[in-house]
Amino acid sequence: MNVMTNPAALDVAPLDVGRIRQDFPILTQTIRGKPLVFLDSAASAQKPRVVIDAMVHAMETQYANVHRGLHWMSERTTEAYEAARDAVAELMNANDRSEVVFVRNSTEAINLLAHSYGRGVLKRGQAVVISGMEHHSNIVPWQLLRDAHGIELRVAPITDAGELDMAAFEALLEDGKVGLVAITHMSNVLGSITPAERIVRIAHAHGAKVMFDGSQAIVHRKIDVRALGCDFYVWTGHKLYGPTGIGVLWGKRDLLERMPPFLGGGDMISSVTYEQSTWAAVPHKFEAGTPAILEGIGLKAAVDYVRAVGYDAMAAHEASLTEHALSRLAAVDGLRVLGQAQDRGGVISFTLDKAHAHDVATLLDRQGIAVRAGHHCAEPLMHRFNLDSTARASFGIYTTHAEIDALADGLIRVREFFK
Amino acid sequence: MNVMTNPAALDVAPLDVGRIRQDFPILTQTIRGKPLVFLDSAASAQKPRVVIDAMVHAMETQYANVHRGLHWMSERTTEAYEAARDAVAELMNANDRSEVVFVRNSTEAINLLAHSYGRGVLKRGQAVVISGMEHHSNIVPWQLLRDAHGIELRVAPITDAGELDMAAFEALLEDGKVGLVAITHMSNVLGSITPAERIVRIAHAHGAKVMFDGSQAIVHRKIDVRALGCDFYVWTGHKLYGPTGIGVLWGKRDLLERMPPFLGGGDMISSVTYEQSTWAAVPHKFEAGTPAILEGIGLKAAVDYVRAVGYDAMAAHEASLTEHALSRLAAVDGLRVLGQAQDRGGVISFTLDKAHAHDVATLLDRQGIAVRAGHHCAEPLMHRFNLDSTARASFGIYTTHAEIDALADGLIRVREFFK
Amino acid sequence: MTQTDSFDDLRDLYQEVILDHGRRPRHAQRLEAFDATAKGDNPMCGDRVQVWVKLDADTIDRVGFEARGCAISVASADLMVETVLRRSRADTKALFEAFRTLARTGVCSDCAAALAEPMERLAPLAGVHEYPSRVKCATLPWHALIAALDGTKEASSE
Amino acid sequence: MTQTDSFDDLRDLYQEVILDHGRRPRHAQRLEAFDATAKGDNPMCGDRVQVWVKLDADTIDRVGFEARGCAISVASADLMVETVLRRSRADTKALFEAFRTLARTGVCSDCAAALAEPMERLAPLAGVHEYPSRVKCATLPWHALIAALDGTKEASSE
Ligand SMILES: Cc1ncc(COP(=O)(O)O)c(C=O)c1O
Ligand SMILES: Cc1ncc(COP(=O)(O)O)c(C=O)c1O
């Protein structure tokens, strides 16, 4: 299986995982007397020292509410918070910092879009296309839009290998009714990476805008929104080694400008009278109320950290981990990996015969190994494969090959135990 | 002026401000070489050591995504996060922990309500009543509801003293069309505390539900939602010495249960198929996506801290500060305090003749004193008093009488300077 | 690693009796004739169970179940059936409360003495208290049983 | 505290010339006859300004303004008028850019030599660079002036 590019071929210095691990204080913890083997980064990643320190530094030395203060603390806090916008704009190669809207998480970003683009720009009778491997957060907001606003919801099927069925996808767009394609850039269950540029080309050729749910992809791949050519891109800070409580909606400026606001309140207005209010310019139009200030500051530290490590090195490391994991897991009796996409990231879902996924997770936890089990907020995808749940191991920059060996050995024990 | 109850009469030990100040690392900072005098707590309060430590401890020793993990880290993090819900439920004397919905801030709480109660329960032709002293966050969401959903928006006027005009308020309810009263419990500009129990009695007598915007009140008064008798109560963590990124919507359980969800996505569902999804029980129905986990943990520490200090002691301290401030400011030539409510908390807005509020704020900042200047996200209230802006000093538990003297002296200098 | 005793660390939660009942439940069957039935649903993990009850006056005469879930939920359902057979409704509810305490806390120190003997059968499940999310796996069939006795159609262990 | 020199700490930002022009602006008037006008609006703080311009071919002949705002915005408007009178549109725009740099950074090291003399008049406003939010107060009248010259009706310093 061709798992991304071979690290050697990328000509990047291999990641010094030992050094990286020293940046994450939590990794020295033990669980039930065993060293922590944290293989649940796709659910939420651990936080490096620099993120913790940035938040502490703000709370200890310069904190106040932002944007409206004329005093020193407020000025400094505003600078620090707005610097996060610059960092994110640069990370994603946005045209302009004003294209970066801060939200709580991917879920809120998609809801914002479903509300402001869905109700504000799409017209009754138009359709939204999602795929058969979406997270609930990229399903439910469109269902709510469908039910409240008469927008049709179409689902592009996936193949048995867990890839988007491109012919079927294109067919869904043929009648020209599709106004927006909202598709994951990387599945949180299968690890599959979708062909973003092709999706954009096809969608644009049929007059549809494209949003990618990059919640997983941003952790594994350098995202260049201009190169992708997409119209919206969303992700969530806590998976990119940042704090909870902050996420990103990136959108092309002219589209953001055409969208009505989502939440109303302080900071998003230009002027307010009882009769009528007018809105601030983007991105502030979409950021009502006191923002997640400390979280923005933490996110900036995370973005800086990730850029310092380098996406090439991260991607190479994860490709190598994934390759190793797939080959070790293949040797576990009765284990079946879900999805065999050609292009995939470091997320592997599997089932074990004779043992239910929850029992697998608990028995691995007993050995200090953290994996997730359940439907992974992707019930329709589970049903597509006639499953209720799988176990899932997912990797971060701090994951080692030895941890994958521990997982494989642990699974062999589980299997023996349930024999 | 009767500023709350006299501390002595309350029979509580006076707050040991010196000791309290040691809990807030930031207070030792200097600004432009002068000791920081932070009088902008109404915009956002500083964070005590225990809040910082709680967040750091989570990030360093037990962190993972919540609710769905079967492994140790996730179990522990879920416990810590859900303990915040218990702490808040206890703080507010809720009937049940499931009545506590976590949101980003007050602004999101009010938008949630405007959406889910406004569109989901109120009927076209019904009305919402707000007051003449609301923050934009309690104006704009209702305007958006009015414009999208045909709900009438009524504004209960305030008196020249800055109090709710109760006769006029009651008159607005007389036709029985009002479905919801959404009113501040304490003005962030005037400091006025509204007569919550009377408002509830009148509203309920006319068949209207009541939501209080307690963003300011929760910092100054013990809030007992059962004693108040209200239906919804919202507040924001960062003003109660907690982190940014987390706020609270409390609602009576049966009302929350009748409301459709707001944001769709992970964690708020019971089951998802493409045709139809069903929702989780409250409060999870309203908490889509990965919540502000670290912020919940920080908020719990803040709530515990506030309860340990004690509302009686805090209220007495603030009453004493406010009394002192009003008398010191009264002696500043050309200074006019906005609002003279009988019942008020530690927020004082004022104008200085000959000096614009922005210049006042900047010149105070030059002396190390942080106050806010502007419309304080309450433009209609400013217009009510024919103003564009005021300066505002606001107090926290760490504020000292000496800091108020510094403010008064600083203002005298500003006044001299602009003479 | 392949020696039996190397599983000690796993065995404290998954005792032999749980593995055995999880693998080969004795009562996993739909009753043909029954007086009450209810479904239980754990939306957080997707576990589902249905319980059928045949009564003899106020006494539980037979119970059958169908479960889709983990070893713990299946074993718990099976042990539940063995525990409640020939008991009154009131006794069954008391047992449920006692079991709930056991599952949540690992002990049931103030359980009524009368329950001591039947509770012994459920003791192997006490280990779940360390896993708050697995507690629901263990209590789900009980929720369904109580719902059936109460005439409710659905229960959730959420 | 009442001695004059005790104001040193305040004076670095509010130099005498700013206080003076803020208190007694020379050009705070609506022009009767004008070729262009525009409003400027700072939604963050509520400052508002309107500028009227009378042109003589390509040269700015007269400017008047009405401002509602702080001492810095009023003084900046007044000093702006004195700086741009009898200058071409192009010069005025170059001055605006130079002033914007000055206000944001406190210096304008790479300002064109030709601007050195007029920029001197604006130098007292350099102190605002320490207050990012006050920078907008200083540049707001300029935004309005440029909008008037460009035929736009409204400008925002947001
Ligand atoms: C009375 C009042 N309501 C609402 C808010 C909005 O709070 P937040 O910005 O945290 O949403 C504030 C504070 O900014 C306030 O003082
Ligand atoms: C693909 C995908 N989309 C959306 C989400 C939702 O992210 P969040 O819960 O941070 O909103 C996740 C993660 O949970 C995800 O993996």
Side-chain angles (χ1 to χ4, degrees):
Chain A
M1 184 178 304
N2 169 13
V3 198
M4 287 175 158
T5 322
N6 188 300
L10 271 174
D11 193 26
V12 291
L15 211 69
D16 182 348
V17 191
R19 202 187 48 68
I20 296 261
R21 288 180 72 84
Q22 288 173 13
D23 297 335
F24 290 81
I26 206 171
L27 296 179
T28 58
Q29 295 288 307
T30 55
I31 302 299
R32 309 178 191 285
K34 314 236 160 70
L36 167 64
V37 175
F38 188 76
L39 299 177
D40 193 21
S41 290
S44 198
Q46 299 300 342
K47 318 305 173 203
R49 166 71 50 215
V50 287
V51 168
I52 301 170
D53 284 352
M55 296 175 77
V56 169
H57 182 260
M59 289 190 267
E60 286 188 354
T61 66
Q62 41 173 259
Y63 176 78
N65 210 329
V66 293
H67 291 148
R68 276 152 208 289
L70 305 176
H71 55 78
W72 193 92
M73 284 286 173
S74 177
E75 298 273 21
R76 293 300 88 72
T77 312
T78 304
E79 278 170 6
Y81 174 70
E82 288 297 329
R85 206 184 302 278
D86 293 317
V88 167
E90 243 186 87
L91 179 79
M92 303 177 77
N93 194 26
N95 303 288
D96 189 309
R97 67 191 306 281
S98 69
E99 297 182 335
V100 174
V101 178
F102 284 131
V103 289
R104 177 173 39 243
N105 50 25
S106 291
T107 304
E108 191 188 15
I110 298 170
N111 278 277
L112 192 167
L113 211 58
H115 184 98
S116 293
Y117 198 81
R119 300 185 183 209
V121 179
L122 294 182
K123 300 272 165 284
R124 231 163 253 280
Q126 282 196 285
V128 170
V129 169
I130 62 174
S131 87
M133 53 177 159
E134 299 305 323
H135 188 281
H136 291 163
S137 291
N138 197 30
I139 301 175
V140 181
W142 307 112
Q143 288 185 319
L144 295 174
L145 175 68
R146 174 192 67 192
D147 298 344
H149 200 63
I151 299 287
E152 193 192 336
L153 180 56
R154 299 180 182 176
V155 183
I158 60 169
T159 66
D160 289 341
E163 294 179 320
L164 190 62
D165 179 335
M166 293 304 288
F169 168 66
E170 184 153 11
L172 285 181
L173 288 148
E174 227 118 65
D175 66 3
K177 285 196 182 165
V178 176
L180 182 71
V181 170
I183 272 187
T184 192
H185 193 189
M186 173 174 157
S187 162
N188 64 312
V189 177
L190 308 170
S192 319
I193 294 182
T194 53
E197 289 90 340
R198 269 182 75 196
I199 291 172
V200 170
R201 259 199 317 277
I202 293 169
H204 284 180
H206 292 85
K209 304 295 183 198
V210 178
M211 177 213 89
F212 286 118
D213 173 359
S215 308
Q216 295 296 335
I218 191 103
V219 186
H220 302 269
R221 291 272 167 107
K222 163 121 196 65
I223 303 305
D224 178 334
V225 287
R226 279 194 266 177
L228 291 179
C230 59
D231 303 285
F232 301 101
Y233 199 100
V234 313
W235 55 280
T236 192
H238 66 94
K239 296 194 205 263
L240 193 66
Y241 312 104
T244 47
I246 189 147
V248 170
L249 164 66
W250 169 86
K252 283 185 182 157
R253 185 166 173 156
D254 61 318
L255 295 177
L256 291 177
E257 281 172 348
R258 279 168 57 199
M259 288 158 53
F262 177 40
L263 306 181
D267 275 17
M268 56 70 74
I269 59 93
S270 169
S271 79
V272 174
T273 66
Y274 292 125
E275 295 66 43
Q276 209 193 344
S277 298
T278 56
W279 316 132
V282 296
H284 299 290
K285 178 168 74 174
F286 296 110
E287 295 181 4
T290 301
I293 301 169
L294 297 165
E295 295 69 24
I297 290 169
L299 184 64
K300 169 163 193 320
V303 167
D304 290 348
Y305 181 78
V306 161
R307 295 186 74 194
V309 172
Y311 268 102
D312 286 347
M314 292 193 330
H317 178 62
E318 282 166 15
S320 154
L321 289 171
T322 307
E323 203 152 7
H324 184 59
L326 288 172
S327 90
R328 285 285 332 242
L329 293 184
V332 178
D333 224 26
L335 187 146
R336 191 164 77 87
V337 168
L338 205 65
Q340 297 87 35
Q342 285 300 304
D343 193 5
R344 66 174 303 157
V347 170
I348 302 178
S349 286
F350 56 89
T351 57
L352 208 55
D353 64 351
K354 307 230 169 98
H356 189 279
H358 297 154
D359 297 318
V360 172
T362 298
L363 287 170
L364 287 175
D365 180 63
R366 225 59 191 170
Q367 304 171 66
I369 303 165
V371 302
R372 196 141 282 240
H375 53 51
H376 313 293
C377 295
E379 278 193 72
L381 174 60
M382 290 287 122
H383 297 158
R384 160 74 176 77
F385 287 100
N386 282 315
L387 294 169
D388 296 315
S389 61
T390 66
R392 182 187 74 182
S394 55
F395 315 136
I397 42 176
Y398 37 66
T399 306
T400 65
H401 288 70
E403 289 182 311
I404 285 168
D405 292 335
L407 169 68
D409 293 344
L411 284 167
I412 292 168
R413 294 189 82 205
V414 171
R415 179 64 216 261
E416 297 262 318
F417 192 69
F418 271 101
K419 193 169 52 188
Chain B
M1 182 179 306
N2 169 13
V3 197
M4 286 176 157
T5 322
N6 186 299
L10 271 174
D11 193 26
V12 289
L15 211 69
D16 182 347
V17 190
R19 203 187 48 67
I20 296 262
R21 288 180 72 83
Q22 288 173 13
D23 296 336
F24 290 81
I26 206 171
L27 296 179
T28 59
Q29 295 289 307
T30 55
I31 302 299
R32 308 178 193 287
K34 313 234 162 73
L36 168 64
V37 175
F38 188 77
L39 300 176
D40 193 22
S41 290
S44 198
Q46 298 300 342
K47 317 307 172 203
R49 165 71 50 215
V50 287
V51 169
I52 302 170
D53 283 352
M55 295 175 78
V56 169
H57 181 261
M59 288 190 268
E60 285 187 355
T61 68
Q62 41 173 258
Y63 176 78
N65 211 330
V66 293
H67 292 148
R68 275 152 209 289
L70 305 176
H71 56 79
W72 193 92
M73 284 284 172
S74 177
E75 299 273 21
R76 293 300 88 69
T77 312
T78 303
E79 278 171 7
Y81 174 71
E82 289 296 330
R85 206 184 302 277
D86 293 319
V88 168
E90 244 186 86
L91 179 80
M92 303 177 77
N93 194 26
N95 302 290
D96 188 310
R97 67 191 306 280
S98 69
E99 296 182 336
V100 174
V101 179
F102 284 130
V103 290
R104 177 174 39 244
N105 50 26
S106 291
T107 303
E108 190 189 14
I110 297 170
N111 278 277
L112 192 167
L113 212 58
H115 184 98
S116 293
Y117 198 81
R119 300 185 183 209
V121 179
L122 294 182
K123 301 271 166 283
R124 230 163 254 281
Q126 282 196 285
V128 169
V129 169
I130 61 173
S131 88
M133 53 177 160
E134 301 304 325
H135 188 281
H136 291 163
S137 291
N138 196 30
I139 300 174
V140 182
W142 308 114
Q143 288 185 319
L144 295 175
L145 175 67
R146 175 192 67 192
D147 297 344
H149 201 64
I151 299 287
E152 192 192 337
L153 180 56
R154 298 180 182 177
V155 183
I158 60 169
T159 66
D160 288 343
E163 294 178 320
L164 192 62
D165 180 336
M166 293 303 289
F169 168 67
E170 185 153 12
L172 285 181
L173 288 147
E174 228 117 65
D175 66 2
K177 285 196 182 166
V178 176
L180 182 70
V181 170
I183 271 186
T184 192
H185 193 190
M186 172 174 158
S187 162
N188 65 311
V189 176
L190 308 170
S192 319
I193 294 182
T194 53
E197 290 90 341
R198 271 183 73 199
I199 291 171
V200 170
R201 260 199 317 278
I202 294 170
H204 284 179
H206 291 85
K209 304 294 181 200
V210 178
M211 176 213 89
F212 287 117
D213 173 0
S215 310
Q216 295 296 334
I218 191 103
V219 187
H220 303 269
R221 291 272 168 107
K222 162 120 197 66
I223 302 304
D224 178 332
V225 288
R226 279 194 266 178
L228 290 179
C230 59
D231 303 286
F232 301 101
Y233 199 99
V234 313
W235 55 280
T236 191
H238 66 94
K239 297 193 204 263
L240 193 67
Y241 312 103
T244 47
I246 190 146
V248 171
L249 163 65
W250 169 85
K252 283 185 180 155
R253 184 165 173 157
D254 61 318
L255 295 177
L256 292 178
E257 282 172 347
R258 280 168 57 199
M259 288 158 52
F262 177 40
L263 306 182
D267 274 18
M268 56 70 75
I269 59 94
S270 169
S271 79
V272 174
T273 66
Y274 293 124
E275 295 66 42
Q276 209 193 343
S277 297
T278 56
W279 315 132
V282 296
H284 299 290
K285 178 169 75 174
F286 296 109
E287 295 180 4
T290 301
I293 301 169
L294 297 165
E295 295 69 25
I297 290 169
L299 184 65
K300 169 164 193 317
V303 167
D304 289 348
Y305 181 77
V306 161
R307 297 186 74 193
V309 172
Y311 268 102
D312 286 346
M314 292 193 329
H317 177 62
E318 282 166 14
S320 154
L321 289 171
T322 307
E323 203 152 7
H324 184 60
L326 287 172
S327 90
R328 285 284 334 241
L329 293 184
V332 178
D333 224 27
L335 187 147
R336 190 165 77 87
V337 168
L338 205 66
Q340 297 87 36
Q342 287 298 304
D343 193 5
R344 65 174 303 157
V347 170
I348 301 178
S349 286
F350 57 90
T351 56
L352 208 54
D353 64 350
K354 307 228 170 102
H356 189 279
H358 298 154
D359 297 318
V360 171
T362 300
L363 288 169
L364 287 174
D365 181 63
R366 223 63 189 168
Q367 304 171 64
I369 303 165
V371 302
R372 196 142 283 239
H375 53 52
H376 314 293
C377 296
E379 278 193 72
L381 174 60
M382 290 287 121
H383 296 158
R384 161 73 177 77
F385 286 101
N386 281 314
L387 294 167
D388 295 314
S389 61
T390 67
R392 181 188 74 182
S394 55
F395 316 137
I397 42 176
Y398 38 66
T399 306
T400 65
H401 288 69
E403 288 182 312
I404 284 168
D405 293 334
L407 169 68
D409 294 343
L411 284 167
I412 291 168
R413 295 189 81 207
V414 171
R415 179 63 217 260
E416 297 262 319
F417 192 69
F418 271 100
K419 193 169 53 188
Chain C
M1 195 173 62
T2 43
Q3 288 165 294
T4 332
D5 63 342
S6 80
F7 289 131
D8 278 1
D9 52 345
L10 310 183
R11 191 84 61 193
D12 57 347
L13 179 57
Y14 288 83
Q15 302 193 9
E16 196 52 62
V17 53
I18 294 179
L19 284 179
D20 182 37
H21 282 267
R23 213 178 283 135
R24 277 182 302 272
R26 284 63 159 167
H27 308 276
Q29 56 184 336
R30 178 189 287 260
L31 298 192
E32 302 286 290
F34 59 90
D35 298 302
T37 183
K39 288 183 183 162
D41 191 7
N42 180 346
M44 280 294 168
C45 68
D47 279 358
R48 244 148 247 198
V49 66
Q50 181 158 7
V51 170
W52 291 268
V53 185
K54 176 105 190 61
L55 293 166
D56 175 2
D58 189 52
T59 304
I60 292 178
D61 190 40
R62 291 192 62 195
V63 184
F65 71 89
E66 271 179 16
R68 202 186 59 196
C70 61
I72 290 180
S73 66
V74 173
S76 177
D78 214 44
L79 293 171
M80 170 185 82
V81 177
E82 306 198 335
T83 315
V84 301
L85 283 180
R86 304 308 309 162
R87 290 189 190 276
S88 70
R89 286 163 185 267
D91 278 3
T92 302
K93 287 190 183 175
L95 269 170
F96 171 47
E97 288 309 328
F99 176 59
R100 203 142 62 151
T101 307
L102 181 77
R104 281 190 186 151
T105 65
V107 287
C108 190
S109 45
D110 57 350
C111 280
L115 301 179
E117 177 254 317
M119 283 304 290
E120 224 156 272
R121 199 193 298 271
L122 302 174
L125 286 159
V128 295
H129 82 273
E130 270 188 67
Y131 288 84
S133 55
R134 304 306 302 275
V135 170
K136 291 164 183 166
C137 303
T139 56
L140 183 63
W142 286 89
H143 281 284
L145 174 65
I146 301 299
L149 293 178
D150 286 350
T152 330
K153 287 233 173 59
E154 301 208 32
S156 163
S157 71
E158 205 189 344
Chain D
M1 195 173 63
T2 44
Q3 288 165 291
T4 332
D5 63 344
S6 80
F7 288 131
D8 278 2
D9 52 344
L10 309 184
R11 192 83 62 193
D12 57 346
L13 179 57
Y14 288 82
Q15 302 193 9
E16 196 52 61
V17 53
I18 294 180
L19 284 179
D20 182 36
H21 282 267
R23 212 179 283 137
R24 275 181 303 273
R26 282 64 157 166
H27 307 277
Q29 56 182 335
R30 177 189 288 260
L31 297 192
E32 302 287 289
F34 59 89
D35 298 303
T37 184
K39 288 181 182 164
D41 190 8
N42 180 347
M44 281 293 168
C45 69
D47 279 359
R48 244 148 247 198
V49 67
Q50 181 158 8
V51 170
W52 291 268
V53 184
K54 176 105 189 64
L55 293 166
D56 174 3
D58 189 52
T59 303
I60 293 178
D61 190 39
R62 290 192 61 194
V63 184
F65 71 89
E66 272 179 16
R68 203 185 60 196
C70 60
I72 289 179
S73 66
V74 173
S76 176
D78 214 45
L79 293 171
M80 170 185 81
V81 176
E82 306 199 335
T83 313
V84 301
L85 284 180
R86 305 307 309 161
R87 290 190 190 274
S88 69
R89 287 163 184 267
D91 277 6
T92 301
K93 288 191 181 173
L95 269 170
F96 171 48
E97 288 308 328
F99 176 60
R100 202 143 61 151
T101 305
L102 180 78
R104 282 189 185 152
T105 66
V107 288
C108 190
S109 46
D110 57 349
C111 281
L115 300 179
E117 177 255 316
M119 283 304 290
E120 224 157 88
R121 197 193 299 270
L122 303 174
L125 287 159
V128 295
H129 81 273
E130 269 187 67
Y131 288 83
S133 55
R134 305 304 303 275
V135 170
K136 291 166 184 166
C137 303
T139 56
L140 182 64
W142 285 88
H143 281 284
L145 175 65
I146 301 299
L149 292 178
D150 285 350
T152 330
K153 288 233 172 59
E154 301 208 31
S156 162
S157 72
E158 205 188 346

